[in-house]
Amino acid sequence: MGDDIKMAGQPLSRVDGKLKVTGAAKYAAEYIIPNLAYGVLASGAIARGRIKSIDTAAAEKAPGVIAIITHLNAPKPPGYFGGKESSDPRTEGGEYRVFYNDVILYSGQPVALAIADTFERARYAASLVKVQYVKEPPQTDMLSNMDKAVVPKESDPDYNRGDKNAFDNAAFTFEQEYQTQLQVHNPMEPHAAIAVWEGADAITVYNKTQSSPIAQEDIAKAWKLQKENVHIVSKFVGGAFGGASRVWPEEMAATIGAKKIGRPLKVVFNRDQLFNMVGYRPQSLQKIKLGADKDGKLIGIHHEAYGNTSTYEQFTANMTSLTQALYACDNVSTLYRLVPLDVSTPCWTRAPGEAPGSFALESALDELSYTLKIDPLELRKRNYAAQNPDTKQPWSTKFLNECYERGAAQFGWEKRNPQPRSTTNGNWLIGYGMATGIYGAWRAPSSARAVLNSDGTLVVQSATADVGVGTATIMSQIAADATGIPVEKIKFELGDSRLPPAIGQFGSLTTTSVGSAVNDACVALRQKAIEYLKKSQSSLQNTPVENFAFGDGKIKTKDDAVSISYADLLQQQHLPSIEVTVDSKGSEEADKYSSYSYNATFVEVGVHALTNQLKVNRVVSAIDAGKIMNKKTARSQVYGSVTWGIGMALTEESVIDDRYGRWMVKDLADYHVPVNADIPAIEVLFIDKSDDILTPIGAKGLGEIGIVGVAAAIANAVYHATGKRVRDLPITPDKLV
Amino acid sequence: MNLFQYVRPAEQKTAIAAVAAEPTARFLGGGTNLLDLMKRHIMQPEKLVDVTRLPLKGITQQGNIIRIGALTRNTEIAEDKTILQNLPLLAMAINAGASAQIRNMATTGGNLLQRTRCPYFYDTAMPCNKREPGTGCGALEGFNRMHAIFGFSDKCIAVNPSDMNVALRALDATVVVNGPKGERKIPIADFHRLPGDTPEKDTNLDKNELITAVTIPISPFSKNAYYLKVRDRNSYAFALVSVAAALNMDGNTIKEARLAMGGVAHKPWRLTDAETFLKSKTATEENFQQAAQIAFQGAKAFKHNQYKLKLGPNTIVQALSVASGLKSV
């Protein structure tokens, strides 16, 4: 596209911003459905065993109650009986089946669904369900169950290049263990679903999802329905962060309950159910070994990672992948194992493997820098990978050095005194830390439809999602550039399984995949418009194709001498609209290259010398994510990523009482998402250079890269401030005592 | 929540009679704690007597006594000129608690009755002697990072979560209550209880008694007062430990000290031995260190709150340092 790009990059405000701030945007639980009933799930009290009996008498007699559903009376989705067929191909094993039988697999699992005429009455009725259990001792402590670690079936977990014994020749070796915590997505919007059966064979589900096609597939499979008879509507999502990437008990309970009562049913989770009735970021134990020569050149890296999963599924988020690609090192080995526990299955959480993986690797590199007495930034530069050290492919683009240079300059890294505990401000110990982030850039097959109306407006559609990042806005910008139609005349529609299938919103894939599809569909649409133009009586009829330009809602000659508006063209041709649907995917050329987004994060922290109170004073996040589509929404997204990183580093953690297998931190008072007082000014620098190999629009993906490395940068800064290295997150004041 | 009756009387007498008439009835103030507990089925009163229309609001000064009506919102106290001038410690403590939205709703009386945030108390599937006497204490051998190091029993190791209460304890407040048997005044030291064998009772307030006011003597502590709260995030989190420090200084000499702690006991914890030690001492870090050591004699930690044995004394030193002007924050 090159010089054509005009709207992309502009800091356009969100096209749906007004809808959101005025409350007009409809989220899953907000649809008004006639004859709607309300369901609330009752959560189980034990982590392992069986349900001996359920007493629903009191619940059934409670005011307004329509039905109490348990495994004893629930209609069973036919897909439940498919054994292997019902398993989720994205997580090895069989998914948790709501109200399937009496087996308890995790504490807090749904044991009953109370359905009433109001939400409040349903919630009260749910509290009256009394369950007797046959208890078995649960195993929920990962560290004491390491002997049960298994090799994940889904992916090849072990990796080796070069010589495993290279450490023997290293002048310096370093070995350490790191741990990361159970982290919970905690979006503002709770998980919710409304199920509306249309006869026995068709259903509409309004839900919170990052992918309406995946929700459609999951529900079709469970109920053995034709896919096209399952309609998923999820126009707005109030935060998801990976937590709405698959169907959870709210959708299944709503479809089961609605079937049972023959009425539309809404199920909304309570906050505590958002902790483990859906997925969460698993905890990790990681071991890093580094070998280096005296100049800091890495001779060998070994990275082992262990994460927890449930007993019934294997959730994988390989924490070691980044170690294979980040630094130029000939000898690298990694190992990844899962520890099955009596907990619910974890799931994708912002930068699933990379966020915890980078904490270990980038903490270790920092520790090595002190051993070698080499500046941490310099150490990383000395190991800069000029090509992918694993595949030996060239990078499509890599501007990590620019991230280092610009980030360090903006931050004032050169002022850092290399000595730990050397800088103070009153009673506060001041520390500087930095880390590198890396996240794979991909483009997945996606489709988009572009419909040009005779009034000159353009509707672009794709079944992707917007979990709050501004997708509709940047897609409109991309469409505007491709067609020359002003952005105000463009409407982008998403969040509906009936739209052209596309990748959901995860893996930092939406812009690269759907943005490219939107571009391709709009380019195809304008070609189609030109074909009509060729058939018309217009004076542009004989203009060679390469001489056309597009702007102001018009097709024109490049010298702007002659033009016709899209509206006039369609009206002259008596066309109410023209439309094009395009299936789009990456080029074969792109396969020859390796693509990643990068960042360098620089952090200043203050730690109170007496009370250990921690404060992040400053963050500079320098990011190479290819061409930035909208500097305003992009900056906001990085603010969010850095905030996530601060939460991971300092405040967020849920805790399980292993005696009961029970999550003990499960509300927003005790699970400490960072608040304003925790978040300093965050300076975001975009390198903003196009990657024209990966995508026609130059983007590489931005959703996750901003969090990768942040926790390590903060931990490194805390060490620099205090001289104390904390290797298990979060770094709360008590760990510095 | 359960179905309940709701009444909103205009007179104290009617309100008290309404609560007395119903074994599970409760007074409702700002609702910031009670409604949460009801939604989570921890407290299920069958009648709520909304007292917010009673004329119990406002801050007045009579001679040497400041009187705060029980329905005065936390924010009103924290922003009141009389309070800021005479009892800055109280304003600081209130501002360290909760969020602006909660402080706008929470009443003085309600804050005094705030219940513990122990996660076992909050989870009806878990044992808790405070919620359900006889079921055991889940925290004793469980997740007890936030729990008590003073005054606990084997029945309960929960802590009082309020910041306001810590300042009231340091300032020798009195709680004025009215009930079927008439008015009485409870010194703040006797208002909250230690758990002992009856952790279900947080306070010595009778069920049918209504808090009508808090009175606080104006004392010469306003110039050298500081409330320091250490927490997991920089706002909107309960204390790991907190310290209310107020000093009556003559030059660099401490004439009298007031010290109380939050996050360490079932009630706001007054450090009288440390206060006695500080009397007539000069404000030096050494003296503050010694006072902190004295304060922590007898402290005993559990598996996850060992850090309090060091963080607590450090926080006392820092609070005294700032209150005395020895150091900045």
Side-chain angles (χ1 to χ4, degrees), chain A residues 427 657 659 662 666 673, chain B residues 120 123 138 231 233-234 328:
Chain A
N427 301 315
D657 183 331
R659 297 172 302 167
R662 186 88 173 159
K666 50 191 167 189
V673 175
Chain B
Y120 297 89
D123 186 339
R231 43 189 156 176
R233 64 180 163 192
N234 287 294
S328 64

Side-chain angles (χ1 to χ4, degrees), chain A residues 41-333:
Chain A
L41 287 162
S43 309
I46 68 158
R48 184 187 170 102
R50 287 181 180 276
I51 297 172
K52 189 159 68 183
S53 63
I54 305 187
D55 178 1
T56 58
E60 277 160 16
K61 277 188 221 117
V65 168
I66 296 161
I68 305 294
I69 293 174
T70 69
H71 70 281
L72 297 169
N73 65 350
K76 301 277 161 45
Y80 274 8
F81 301 104
K84 189 68 192 161
E85 198 188 340
S86 77
S87 76
D88 186 332
R90 289 157 295 146
T91 48
E92 178 71 31
E95 79 274 22
Y96 171 71
R97 289 170 285 184
V98 183
F99 306 137
Y100 177 59
N101 59 19
D102 61 354
V103 179
I104 297 291
L105 296 165
Y106 65 90
S107 185
Q109 98 178 32
V111 290
L113 175 68
I115 303 175
D117 56 355
T118 70
F119 169 71
E120 290 77 9
R121 286 171 151 182
R123 180 147 76 169
Y124 179 56
S127 78
L128 299 176
V129 174
K130 298 291 171 232
V131 184
Q132 300 293 320
Y133 302 96
V134 181
K135 292 181 197 172
E136 292 170 33
Q139 293 297 329
T140 54
D141 177 24
M142 188 172 89
L143 298 184
S144 61
N145 283 281
M146 294 297 287
D147 57 325
K148 300 192 186 88
V150 296
V151 180
K153 285 181 199 156
E154 186 199 16
S155 57
D156 186 5
D158 294 348
Y159 171 87
N160 188 46
R161 72 167 179 254
D163 179 6
K164 267 190 174 173
N165 300 317
F167 293 97
D168 299 345
N169 306 321
F172 294 90
T173 57
F174 166 84
E175 212 170 343
Q176 203 44 262
E177 285 189 8
Y178 302 89
Q179 289 180 52
T180 61
Q181 72 274 47
L182 289 174
Q183 204 185 5
V184 179
H185 306 85
N186 263 321
M188 288 287 281
E189 181 204 14
H191 283 256
I194 298 174
V196 187
W197 284 96
E198 287 124 20
D201 303 320
I203 190 166
T204 296
V205 177
Y206 303 84
N207 71 336
K208 174 194 183 85
T209 183
Q210 288 170 250
S211 168
S212 55
I214 287 179
Q216 179 189 41
E217 198 180 309
D218 285 357
I219 290 171
K221 217 159 59 174
W223 288 98
K224 296 213 166 165
L225 302 173
Q226 298 293 319
K227 223 164 90 171
E228 51 279 14
N229 287 345
V230 176
H231 183 198
I232 304 293
V233 182
S234 183
K235 300 277 185 202
F236 292 95
V237 175
F241 315 110
S245 304
R246 59 183 295 193
V247 160
W248 295 111
E250 78 274 14
E251 283 103 343
M252 289 316 298
T255 59
I256 290 168
K259 184 84 153 179
K260 177 84 177 174
I261 62 170
R263 264 172 84 165
L265 176 66
K266 169 155 80 180
V267 175
V268 182
F269 278 6
N270 294 330
R271 181 55 62 178
D272 61 332
Q273 296 171 330
L274 289 161
F275 278 73
N276 76 330
M277 208 182 270
V278 296
Y280 52 89
R281 192 197 293 283
Q283 65 183 116
S284 82
L285 170 69
Q286 301 178 64
K287 301 177 186 183
I288 300 267
K289 187 174 180 186
L290 300 175
D293 68 17
K294 63 177 176 27
D295 298 323
K297 178 84 193 81
L298 289 167
I299 307 291
I301 309 176
H302 178 69
H303 186 174
E304 271 179 57
Y306 300 80
N308 75 273
T309 189
S310 66
T311 55
Y312 50 95
E313 277 177 310
Q314 290 192 349
F315 169 73
T316 54
N318 198 332
M319 290 169 265
T320 64
S321 308
L322 81 165
T323 303
Q324 297 158 19
L326 185 49
Y327 293 112
C329 177
D330 292 336
N331 310 300
V332 175
S333 55

Side-chain angles (χ1 to χ4, degrees), chain B residues 9-40:
Chain B
E11 284 180 25
Q12 250 187 68
K13 232 194 266 174
T14 333
I16 291 164
V19 163
E22 194 79 53
T24 66
R26 307 284 308 190
F27 296 111
L28 174 69
T32 56
N33 193 204
L34 179 58
L35 294 187
D36 260 6
L37 293 164
M38 288 172 70
K39 284 178 187 173
R40 296 174 73 154

Side-chain angles (χ1 to χ4, degrees), chain B residues 123-135:
Chain B
D123 186 339
T124 53
M126 290 286 99
C128 173
N129 287 324
K130 183 181 281 296
R131 179 172 32 77
E132 218 179 325
T135 54

Side-chain angles (χ1 to χ4, degrees), chain B residues 106-127:
Chain B
T107 63
T108 309
N111 196 333
L112 277 164
L113 298 175
Q114 206 184 145
R115 307 208 68 187
T116 185
R117 299 294 310 196
C118 173
Y120 297 89
F121 175 70
Y122 260 83
D123 186 339
T124 53
M126 290 286 99

Side-chain angles (χ1 to χ4, degrees), chain A residues 63 124 127 427-428 608 610-611 613-614 651 657 659-660 662 664 666-668 672-673 678 732 734 737, chain B residues 1-3 40-41 117 119-120 123 127 138 142 145 230-234 307 310-311 314 318 328-329:
Chain A
Y124 179 56
S127 78
N427 301 315
W428 293 81
H608 196 279
L610 267 182
T611 64
Q613 196 86 43
L614 274 143
T651 59
D657 183 331
R659 297 172 302 167
Y660 305 101
R662 186 88 173 159
M664 295 315 297
K666 50 191 167 189
D667 65 28
L668 291 175
H672 299 130
V673 175
D678 298 300
T732 43
D734 52 313
V737 162
Chain B
M1 52 180 81
N2 57 313
L3 273 183
R40 296 174 73 154
H41 311 107
R117 299 294 310 196
Y120 297 89
D123 186 339
R145 177 171 177 265
V230 182
R231 43 189 156 176
D232 285 333
R233 64 180 163 192
N234 287 294
Y307 69 92
K310 182 141 187 237
L311 183 61
N314 281 356
Q318 174 65 13
S328 64
V329 295

